[in-house]
Amino acid sequence: MTAFTLGPALLFCPADRPDRYAKAAAVADGVVLDLEDAVRPEAKPAARDAVVAADLDPARTVVRVNPAGTPDLDKDLRALASSPFRTLMLAKTASAADVRALDGYDVVALVETAAGVLHAAEIAAETSVVALLWGADDLVASLGGTSSRHPDGTYRDVARHARSVVLVAAGAHGKAVVDAVHMDIEDHAGLSAEAADAAAVGCVATACIHPGQVDVVRAAYRPTDGQVAWAQALLAQAERERGVFRFEGRMVDGPVLRQAADVLRRATR
């Protein structure tokens, strides 16, 4: 698995709001300074200057840059060359070639278009890619649609398909996956359910757009006391067994042991 360890709650912060940088970094497990959608075109030059001047831990900071092939990405990279930040999130990553434009950086590939989903495995295979984040709303917009979710808040099938494609592509190449943002800021129950599901299928983090979402995500990723006790007891018995064995009425083999180890790993984050 990749060495990408930020999470479980990554918080986006508009790059043109340097007054919020420190608070975002203090609240979340990692901060994403956003030079793309969160910043109006006329504010981007000042936002780049603010990012370069930011006094943040580079190990806990990701900078979202503009899409490949745009003049704004060229300007982003020229500015960031003099900064200490070396992990970039590439908006609207559509191909492996897009990633190569960020040579010398660790890349979180934001897969949020039809082309990106189609080429997810090729993107994940790039050595500079440390994680993939999928996005639903830009994806649906790229298809000409108007909504990624049903009226009850659940994802439509095309969004669920994209998430699964990104998960499998990343897993095949040992890369981490960050789950998409939950746009309804007040819907903590929906966010909690999505984050718990993300943890269950192997995501390392969920992206947040508001500080109030951070603790919800952390709680959802944190195993319960019962899960921790189960994992500890199972692994303790495994040390006394040879090969496949039975534990609490369930057959235990390699995949179950890895699941138990992951429960303990998440419990100590």
Side-chain angles (χ1 to χ4, degrees):
M1 180 60 73
T2 178
F4 184 83
T5 57
L6 291 180
L10 299 185
L11 179 59
F12 278 91
C13 180
D16 62 346
R17 293 300 304 270
D19 55 308
R20 298 181 181 178
Y21 288 5
K23 180 180 178 181
V27 168
D29 302 302
V31 61
V32 182
L33 303 180
D34 189 359
L35 284 168
E36 195 221 6
D37 283 347
V39 182
R40 300 186 313 276
E42 65 272 18
K44 287 185 188 289
R48 293 183 185 102
D49 291 341
V51 170
V52 171
D55 184 21
L56 295 176
D57 180 0
R60 297 181 57 246
T61 305
V62 179
V63 181
R64 176 157 83 161
V65 294
N66 288 275
T70 65
D72 276 321
L73 176 60
D74 295 336
K75 295 173 184 176
D76 293 344
L77 295 179
R78 283 198 295 271
L80 291 169
S82 61
S83 83
F85 305 118
R86 286 295 173 265
T87 303
L88 305 185
M89 179 182 292
L90 180 61
K92 298 176 178 63
T93 307
S95 68
D98 287 354
V99 174
R100 294 176 196 137
L102 274 59
D103 184 50
Y105 292 93
D106 288 339
V107 179
V108 177
L110 179 43
V111 176
E112 52 182 343
T113 65
V117 174
L118 188 64
H119 299 120
E122 300 163 26
I123 293 167
E126 287 294 305
T127 56
S128 62
V129 170
V130 294
L132 283 78
L133 164 63
W134 76 284
D137 292 297
D138 277 289
L139 167 65
V140 170
S142 79
L143 298 171
T146 58
S147 174
S148 65
R149 294 179 184 265
H150 294 291
D152 66 358
T154 58
Y155 277 121
R156 298 181 187 276
D157 286 347
V158 67
R160 293 172 59 85
H161 171 73
R163 182 179 189 250
S164 297
V165 168
V166 169
L167 278 163
V168 172
H173 295 283
K175 306 299 174 66
V177 174
V178 179
D179 207 34
V181 299
H182 193 79
M183 298 296 287
D184 188 343
I185 295 172
E186 302 301 324
D187 180 22
H188 286 185
L191 171 61
S192 178
E194 286 184 7
D197 181 69
V201 296
C203 293
V204 302
T206 290
C208 303
I209 54 173
H210 189 275
Q213 296 180 321
V214 169
D215 284 343
V216 177
V217 168
R218 284 176 173 161
Y221 273 77
R222 187 180 306 118
T224 65
D225 291 344
Q227 290 172 321
V228 171
W230 167 83
Q232 290 172 333
L234 186 151
L235 292 173
Q237 182 170 329
E239 294 180 357
R240 302 189 296 270
E241 301 282 354
R242 286 188 175 184
V244 176
F245 62 95
R246 180 173 175 168
F247 179 78
E248 296 182 352
R250 179 184 182 184
M251 186 194 80
V252 175
D253 57 4
V256 179
L257 293 175
R258 290 194 293 273
Q259 291 167 10
D262 185 66
V263 167
L264 297 185
R265 179 187 60 78
R266 288 194 287 117
T268 58
R269 291 180 70 173

